[in-house]
Amino acid sequence: MPSTVWDTGLRYAFNGRSTLNLFVNNLFGLRYVEDSQADANGINQGVPCNVSLRFTRKF
């Protein structure tokens, strides 16, 4: 059954100089193969669900 891996993000800007970013990769935590080698000696699994938060300020 084909599945879709969803990534999402939110950005909030305040004070005209600062931003707060929230990113979620693989929102539903699907297991998938990201890449494989032609000789089948290696299979790279995709990343699990993860969240990152970044604050940026311009001076």
Side-chain angles (χ1 to χ4, degrees), residues 2-58:
S3 299
T4 302
V5 176
W6 290 85
D7 297 335
T8 188
L10 295 172
R11 175 180 293 176
Y12 180 73
F14 50 97
N15 295 340
R17 296 176 12 204
S18 302
T19 58
L20 186 64
N21 298 297
L22 174 70
F23 301 104
V24 180
N25 295 315
N26 194 359
L27 182 63
F28 301 111
L30 296 175
R31 294 183 70 184
Y32 65 98
V33 174
E34 186 174 88
D35 189 15
S36 64
Q37 297 178 5
D39 58 7
N41 286 331
I43 296 175
N44 299 324
Q45 291 187 0
V47 296
C49 181
N50 63 72
V51 178
S52 63
L53 183 66
R54 180 172 52 188
F55 176 77
T56 306
R57 178 157 175 101
K58 295 179 184 177

